[in-house]
Amino acid sequence: MKKGYKCVVEQNGSAFTAVKGFKAAGVACDIRGKGDLSRLDLALIVSDVPAAAAGVFTTNDVKAAPVLVDSEHLAKARTARAIVAYSGVANACTGKRGISDAEKSCAAVSKRLGVSADEVLVCSTGRIGDFLPMDKIMGGIDKAFGSLKSEDGSFMDGARAIMTTDTHSKTVVARVTGSFGSFSIAGMAKGAGMIEPNMATMLAFFISDAKVPKALLKSSLKWAADRSFNRISVDGDMSTNDTVICLCNGQSGVSAASGEALEAFKEALLGVSRALAKMIVADGEETTRVIEVEVSGAKTRAQAEKICRSVANSMLVKCAWFGGDANWGRIADAVGYARTGVDFDKMDLSYDNVAVLRKGVVKTANADKWRKVVAGKSFSVRINLNAGDASDSVLTADLTEGYVAFNKGE
């Protein structure tokens, strides 16, 4: 059936003001303690009116204080008004003091807005185990309120303020028009290392002027995250702080609670999520290639996902990709040690559309072609198990000498 609406996704879009009823700011308060007041490190996003809110968080058993606080706030409050986020210190593994510091941040924002602290969400990213410099945080919050504007530049400042090892900010805007009217969704994200959400270190914030009931927003956000942020891996490390939050304030006048408007909202949310997820992988710490691992013909989606992750996170496979080496044997090995009951004699393997294996038999005549594919900066590894109808995919990156040097702790 032909869609009755149009959804346009702009990657690296800066048109946050397409979303009605939000303001933002990004300021510098030297959270890292290096005396650098040129580096933005505290972001604030505020809805002009109470907004429906939902979040998806890390499944790591060790959760950072902001993750615990946000989960509690979302369970308590019917709406939310603001997100405050800072970079440089993760506020993870910090015990009761970490929880108290996260709550103090929310209280400071809520006092300025005249709302309950439960209506404020807090996020942080950076080094694990350090305590927050709360005097600087409090000063930064005051400074952010002084800079709060409904301008694209203010939202871009916010996107820069949440960066850690990212080389650039990551923003996307989706505009939707249809018989129901028009609305927009904008998103910003950070992430480059410690990336394998399974909701890295990864934060993503979405704002929309569509009106979406809280329960439906929660299920829609989880649906989109499962198909985007939970299908990427840079280094296989799941963070303590992974958070995706969406605020919908309804200021467009469009209700996306059912029918085509809901379908359009979910499509736009997924489009923005996938675009941001791909930017995160492409910006992986010292990586040089982006690879999509696709598994089809699986018995179940769970089998396909397990094999995707086994290949995507294999150190030997990732090193081969860095060298432009089409070492398909390492991929076949990773498929096998996922231990899902694969029959190698039924398996097909391709680099992009160039056949490497067919029913377990190597197509050596294509060797030059597949080597050319793997020499590129972006390609697909396609694995067909020929055992069922289920499929899945994961975006990943290579592993470089630069990544090791970058993360050796000096």
Side-chain angles (χ1 to χ4, degrees):
M1 186 173 67
K2 186 177 180 181
K3 295 189 299 186
Y5 63 87
K6 183 179 181 181
C7 176
V8 178
V9 178
E10 303 172 17
Q11 295 192 26
N12 277 321
S14 61
F16 278 80
T17 49
V19 185
K20 300 175 182 176
F22 286 92
K23 296 182 177 69
V27 299
C29 51
D30 191 29
I31 291 172
R32 291 168 179 81
K34 295 184 177 182
D36 183 4
L37 288 176
S38 64
R39 180 169 185 168
L40 304 180
D41 54 8
L42 187 146
L44 180 65
I45 300 171
V46 175
S47 174
D48 293 343
V49 298
V56 179
F57 304 98
T58 182
T59 57
N60 196 324
D61 286 346
V62 180
K63 293 177 173 61
V67 170
L68 298 174
V69 169
D70 287 349
S71 297
E72 184 177 348
H73 285 194
L74 287 169
K76 284 183 178 179
R78 295 180 61 186
T79 59
R81 285 290 304 278
I83 301 168
V84 59
Y86 25 79
S87 64
V89 175
N91 194 14
C93 304
T94 47
K96 292 182 179 179
R97 175 174 164 180
I99 295 290
S100 175
D101 286 346
E103 290 284 17
K104 286 177 182 176
S105 300
C106 294
V109 173
S110 68
K111 184 177 180 180
R112 295 291 296 262
L113 294 174
V115 301
S116 166
D118 291 339
E119 293 182 78
V120 179
L121 302 171
V122 59
C123 295
S124 58
T125 177
R127 192 175 183 88
I128 293 172
D130 291 349
F131 292 114
L132 290 168
M134 288 307 295
D135 54 338
K136 294 180 179 180
I137 296 290
M138 294 297 105
I141 288 172
D142 287 340
K143 191 175 179 182
F145 269 100
S147 302
L148 204 59
K149 295 178 182 177
S150 180
E151 295 179 0
D152 289 332
S154 297
F155 285 96
M156 295 305 292
D157 283 347
R160 284 189 287 272
I162 61 175
M163 292 166 48
T164 51
T165 59
D166 307 63
T167 63
H168 57 81
S169 59
K170 302 167 179 68
T171 59
V172 178
V173 177
R175 305 168 192 263
V176 180
T177 56
S179 58
F180 44 74
S182 62
F183 65 86
S184 299
I185 300 176
M188 64 175 69
K190 65 82 51 182
M194 199 177 280
I195 298 291
E196 187 176 31
N198 211 355
M199 19 214 20
T201 296
M202 192 206 83
L203 302 178
F205 307 138
F206 299 108
I207 57 172
S208 177
D209 50 18
K211 183 178 181 180
V212 186
K214 181 176 179 177
L216 193 54
L217 178 58
K218 182 178 179 179
S219 63
S220 297
L221 185 62
K222 185 179 186 305
W223 173 84
D226 282 345
R227 288 158 178 77
S228 56
F229 299 115
N230 286 344
R231 292 295 181 272
I232 61 175
S233 177
V234 170
D235 45 27
D237 278 358
M238 183 193 300
S239 169
T240 54
N241 292 60
D242 295 333
T243 300
V244 179
I245 293 172
C246 184
L247 303 182
C248 293
N249 67 9
Q251 293 298 283
S252 68
V254 174
S255 173
S258 62
E260 199 164 57
L262 174 58
E263 178 186 336
F265 176 80
K266 291 179 68 175
E267 180 180 325
L269 185 61
L270 180 60
V272 173
S273 298
R274 282 181 168 167
L276 288 172
K278 189 169 184 178
M279 288 180 190
I280 288 171
V281 175
D283 195 29
E285 291 171 352
E286 303 297 324
T287 60
T288 64
R289 289 175 170 82
V290 176
I291 303 96
E292 183 172 23
V293 180
E294 303 174 357
V295 173
S296 61
K299 296 173 184 176
T300 64
R301 188 181 178 193
Q303 180 190 32
E305 180 188 351
K306 188 172 184 180
I307 293 172
C308 281
R309 293 191 186 280
S310 184
V311 174
N313 289 326
S314 166
M315 295 296 102
L316 284 175
V317 171
K318 292 163 81 71
C319 287
W321 287 335
F322 170 51
D325 180 7
N327 193 333
W328 60 266
R330 292 182 178 181
I331 295 173
D333 177 52
V335 171
Y337 66 63
R339 294 183 293 181
T340 65
V342 167
D343 185 344
F344 177 76
D345 292 333
K346 292 182 178 179
M347 190 172 79
D348 297 338
L349 172 64
S350 301
Y351 290 120
D352 284 350
N353 294 316
V354 179
V356 177
L357 297 174
R358 285 295 179 266
K359 301 297 188 293
V361 178
V362 62
K363 299 296 181 180
T364 53
N366 291 336
D368 288 342
K369 293 180 181 178
W370 76 54
R371 289 180 188 128
K372 185 176 180 180
V373 171
V374 176
K377 297 301 182 184
S378 180
F379 56 88
S380 296
V381 174
R382 295 172 177 164
I383 302 159
N384 191 334
L385 305 180
N386 291 300
D389 299 323
S391 63
D392 209 340
S393 65
V394 168
L395 276 178
T396 189
D398 57 356
L399 179 64
T400 71
E401 296 158 326
Y403 177 88
V404 176
F406 190 87
N407 285 283
K408 66 182 180 180
E410 294 182 355

